[in-house]
């Protein structure tokens, strides 16, 4: 969608996921440097709201719950299955609670964030 990390090349990174907008906003040192489309949890498998931190990163992750489904550039937020990762973006909430990004956006986000980065999910 739009990535401009040069707007603020240094400082802490924070990510805000708007479930209503189906957008991921990335900030560095308080300056928004990226906005991307996403797909959050579908009805019955909603994406939880709240503040999380990146617990684990895995470039080549596969789901242990959903038939070994590929989840490239995964940034784990909970130990029970909520993460940011690459996947199909149909234009509406369609995941099992995770936040899906395009392959390119997930790769860019994986380069920017490290373990411990704050991720906030809002309605």
């Amino acid at each position: 969608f739009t990535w401009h990390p040069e707007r603020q090349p240094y400082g802490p990174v924070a990510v805000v996921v708007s479930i209503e907008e189906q957008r991921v906003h990335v900030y560095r040192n308080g300056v928004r440097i990226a906005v991307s489309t996403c797909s959050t949890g579908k009805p019955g498998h909603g994406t939880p709201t709240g503040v999380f931190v990146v617990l684990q990163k895995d470039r080549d992750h596969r789901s242990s719950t959903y038939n070994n489904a590929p989840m490239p550039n995964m940034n784990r937020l909970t130990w029970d299955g909520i993460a940011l990762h690459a996947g199909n973006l149909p234009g509406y909430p369609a995941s099992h609670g995770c936040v899906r990004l395009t392959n390119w956006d997930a790769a860019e986000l994986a380069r920017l964030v490290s373990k411990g980065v704050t991720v906030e999910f809002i309605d």
Side-chain angles (χ1 to χ4, degrees), residues 9-10 13 17 21-22 25 27 31-32 38 45 50 55 58-59 65-66 70 76 92 97 101 106 109 113 120 122:
Y10 306 104
V13 173
V17 177
E21 295 176 346
Q22 296 291 283
H25 304 266
Y27 298 85
V31 176
R32 189 170 70 180
C38 70
H45 295 277
L55 301 170
D58 186 351
R59 185 174 176 197
T65 305
Y66 298 106
R76 182 184 303 279
Y92 52 85
L101 299 156
L109 186 65
V113 303
E120 183 176 8
I122 60 173

Side-chain angles (χ1 to χ4, degrees), residues 81-94:
I82 303 300
L84 298 158
H85 62 79
N88 182 37
L89 296 185
Y92 52 85

Side-chain angles (χ1 to χ4, degrees), residues 2-120:
T2 180
W3 287 82
H4 295 285
E6 71 280 0
R7 287 181 182 161
Q8 183 59 50
Y10 306 104
V13 173
V15 179
V16 177
V17 177
S18 172
I19 296 167
E20 180 180 335
E21 295 176 346
Q22 296 291 283
R23 298 277 189 271
V24 174
H25 304 266
V26 183
Y27 298 85
R28 187 159 39 203
N29 208 31
V31 176
R32 189 170 70 180
I33 60 170
V35 179
S36 175
T37 57
C38 70
S39 182
T40 60
K42 63 186 175 183
H45 295 277
T47 299
T49 57
V51 178
F52 304 88
V53 296
V54 175
L55 301 170
Q56 179 187 37
K57 297 172 64 66
D58 186 351
R59 185 174 176 197
D60 300 309
H61 187 73
R62 290 194 160 292
S63 174
S64 59
T65 305
Y66 298 106
N67 299 320
N68 208 33
M71 297 177 170
N73 291 300
M74 185 272 300
N75 290 284
R76 182 184 303 279
L77 302 175
T78 71
W79 292 113
D80 60 351
I82 303 300
L84 298 158
H85 62 79
N88 182 37
L89 296 185
Y92 52 85
S95 78
H96 287 98
C98 287
V99 176
R100 297 180 192 164
L101 299 156
T102 66
N103 286 329
W104 190 88
D105 290 334
E108 288 300 303
L109 186 65
R111 279 192 266 286
L112 282 176
V113 303
S114 56
K115 285 171 58 174
V117 163
T118 300
V119 179
E120 183 176 8

